[in-house]
Amino acid sequence: MSSSSSDADFLQQWRYALAPYNLGYKVKLVSQLMYRDFLERLEPYGLTPFHYLVLCCLWEEDGLSTSGIADKLKQLGATLTGVVDRSRERLYQAQSDDDVASVSSVYIGMGDWKNPETRLQRSILVWGVEPTLPSFDLPGLAEHTDSLKQLNQVLFDQAGRPEYGPIPTLLQQGQVDAELNRQTVQVAGLFTMGSSFVADGNIITSDSTFLKLYQDRRSGQVDIGLIQLKPGVDLQQVQARLAATLPSDVRVLTVEEFAAVEKHYWESQGTIGFIFGIGVVVGFIVGTVIVYQILYTDVANHLPEYATLKAMGYNDRYLLTMLLQEALLLAAFGYIPGFAVAVGLYHLTHAMTLLPIGMTMSRAVTVFILTVIMCSVSGAVASQKLRSADPADIF
């Protein structure tokens, strides 16, 4: 009896020693519990408590700079560099414009996708967007935007290469779990984008999931900032005002200008544009040689007739004009079937890969001019044979 009583006294003493029920301890315990609950609520959004404080400052006053946020939080400006990078800061500055409705961030990265069936790994382009804000106008994206609000949810590009796996078929059978950057993600739906010169497939996910997949990326390292204007405002005026207001480390472009910049890069600076340019040069040279052989053979076979024309008084300039006319006829009649075949190949390539390529008016006119030049040069070179046509040779 005395032994059990002493044990109870011993446990009671340790109870008060380990968990004293004074006011300070209770305040500390409640604080820890609230902080833990706070972290759990922020975790799905990829935020820390310090991120939350920064967002609260921006919610109270739009367009704050890093120094302005630091003054409100009583922090050094250098402390905020890991939270608000310049690219994100420029977006917040743009949002302070009266004609701007909203701004959103887009993150881009190459990821390692593992085929759920074959387990083979293949590179895929990953896009991180803010699910609550407008981003891309793609078929199937709007229907599954709410699914992206959950962590580890992704949308799969059904127009990508089949090497990524039969994701549309598997999705019809039930839940599809896949591996992306050695992390398990769940395919919440499908959208349509197609292959590009960068990758053969695409994945769209939320910005929180993107930062979880790329843990070396900070939330402020935005690749593209999207600015949504209010209805009825003048686009050119807002663009000029933002370009004058924002620092020179960012460019304010319309959708058309941004597409032109990307097109110029792939055409002039990228390796693909260089390869296509070399193909055009080689094709021009080969075409010139072929047309020259055709015209030279024709002149050689009809050399007596050309000599007869010379004997009748026609000079070399007239014969050259005749040969150039023949060269232009070759250019016209060769261009028509070539144009039809090119248009068909463009449509076939677009249907197979969904690459944004097609026959444009400027491209068609450029090719026609090059064809005329090619045939004219061939005709001018082949005319050298006409000068050797001597009327005396036929008598």
Side-chain angles (χ1 to χ4, degrees):
M1 184 69 179
S2 60
S3 175
S4 61
S5 177
S6 61
D7 291 339
D9 295 336
F10 176 80
L11 293 175
Q12 188 71 13
Q13 291 175 0
W14 273 105
R15 179 183 178 185
Y16 284 101
L18 295 176
Y21 289 95
N22 54 60
L23 181 60
Y25 173 79
K26 292 180 179 180
V27 172
K28 181 180 179 181
L29 181 61
V30 172
S31 165
Q32 292 176 347
L33 293 176
M34 291 181 64
Y35 184 73
R36 185 182 303 172
D37 180 71
F38 190 44
L39 289 178
E40 292 177 354
R41 292 177 181 270
L42 292 178
E43 183 179 2
Y45 304 98
L47 298 176
T48 65
F50 197 54
H51 285 100
Y52 176 77
L53 294 177
V54 172
L55 292 176
C56 287
C57 294
L58 295 172
W59 181 77
E60 293 178 355
E61 183 178 351
D62 289 335
L64 277 177
S65 63
T66 303
S67 57
I69 299 174
D71 292 338
K72 283 183 171 292
L73 297 178
K74 307 301 180 183
Q75 297 284 338
L76 294 176
T79 310
L80 291 168
T81 56
V83 180
V84 181
D85 283 355
R86 287 187 176 181
S87 53
R88 177 68 68 87
E89 180 183 352
R90 300 298 179 252
L91 276 179
Y92 294 147
Q93 292 175 349
Q95 192 174 12
S96 63
D97 192 283
D98 295 334
D99 293 332
V100 174
S102 63
V103 296
S104 60
S105 306
V106 177
Y107 303 89
I108 307 174
M110 293 299 298
D112 296 324
W113 174 271
K114 187 171 289 187
N115 189 316
E117 287 192 338
T118 63
R119 309 304 296 172
L120 295 178
Q121 190 168 287
R122 190 179 181 90
S123 296
I124 196 169
L125 191 61
V126 183
W127 303 79
V129 301
E130 299 183 41
T132 57
L133 296 174
S135 54
F136 301 129
D137 185 15
L138 296 172
L141 181 59
E143 294 82 349
H144 302 95
T145 302
D146 291 337
S147 302
L148 295 180
K149 296 179 181 179
Q150 302 179 21
L151 201 62
N152 298 327
Q153 301 287 316
V154 301
L155 300 181
F156 183 81
D157 180 14
Q158 60 181 346
R161 296 285 301 173
E163 288 80 3
Y164 293 106
I167 304 300
T169 304
L170 296 176
L171 198 60
Q172 292 178 355
Q173 300 173 359
Q175 178 177 320
V176 178
D177 293 328
E179 186 174 321
L180 179 60
N181 286 0
R182 298 183 180 180
Q183 298 185 39
T184 302
V185 295
Q186 181 179 344
V187 180
L190 303 172
F191 70 99
T192 304
M193 179 182 289
S195 304
S196 65
F197 295 120
V198 179
D200 295 328
N202 300 273
I203 288 291
I204 292 182
T205 184
S206 66
D207 51 350
S208 301
T209 303
F210 184 93
L211 295 175
K212 182 176 179 293
L213 293 170
Y214 299 87
Q215 298 183 3
D216 57 334
R217 293 278 297 268
R218 296 198 301 265
S219 60
Q221 294 176 324
V222 178
D223 293 292
I224 302 174
L226 303 179
I227 302 176
Q228 185 78 18
L229 302 182
K230 295 179 181 179
V233 301
D234 191 318
L235 173 62
Q236 303 300 329
Q237 290 184 2
V238 177
Q239 180 187 12
R241 188 166 60 247
L242 291 177
T245 304
L246 297 176
S248 58
D249 55 359
V250 294
R251 298 178 63 185
V252 182
L253 303 173
T254 63
V255 176
E256 293 76 14
E257 291 173 347
F258 181 78
V261 169
E262 290 292 309
K263 182 179 179 181
H264 174 72
Y265 170 79
W266 288 109
E267 289 181 348
S268 61
Q269 302 180 20
T271 56
I272 296 178
F274 176 76
I275 293 174
F276 276 106
I278 291 296
V280 171
V281 174
V282 172
F284 184 86
I285 296 175
V286 172
T288 303
V289 172
I290 292 176
V291 174
Y292 165 75
Q293 290 178 339
I294 294 174
L295 294 177
Y296 181 86
T297 303
D298 180 74
V299 170
N301 292 336
H302 297 87
L303 195 59
E305 287 83 353
Y306 287 114
T308 302
L309 291 175
K310 277 190 172 184
M312 296 172 61
Y314 294 99
N315 55 21
D316 291 338
R317 181 177 297 179
Y318 177 80
L319 298 179
L320 175 61
T321 303
M322 289 183 57
L323 195 59
L324 289 179
Q325 289 177 357
E326 184 179 355
L328 293 178
L329 287 175
L330 285 176
F333 287 110
Y335 178 81
I336 295 174
F339 177 81
V341 172
V343 171
L345 291 176
Y346 272 125
H347 283 292
L348 179 62
T349 304
H350 178 72
M352 296 293 293
T353 64
L354 291 184
L355 287 173
I357 57 176
M359 180 62 72
T360 61
M361 180 60 67
S362 60
R363 185 177 293 119
V365 172
T366 302
V367 173
F368 180 75
I369 294 175
L370 290 176
T371 304
V372 171
I373 295 175
M374 177 185 67
C375 293
S376 300
V377 171
S378 300
V381 176
S383 66
Q384 300 298 322
K385 182 66 175 176
L386 290 176
R387 297 180 181 178
S388 64
D390 190 354
D393 293 340
I394 61 176
F395 300 105

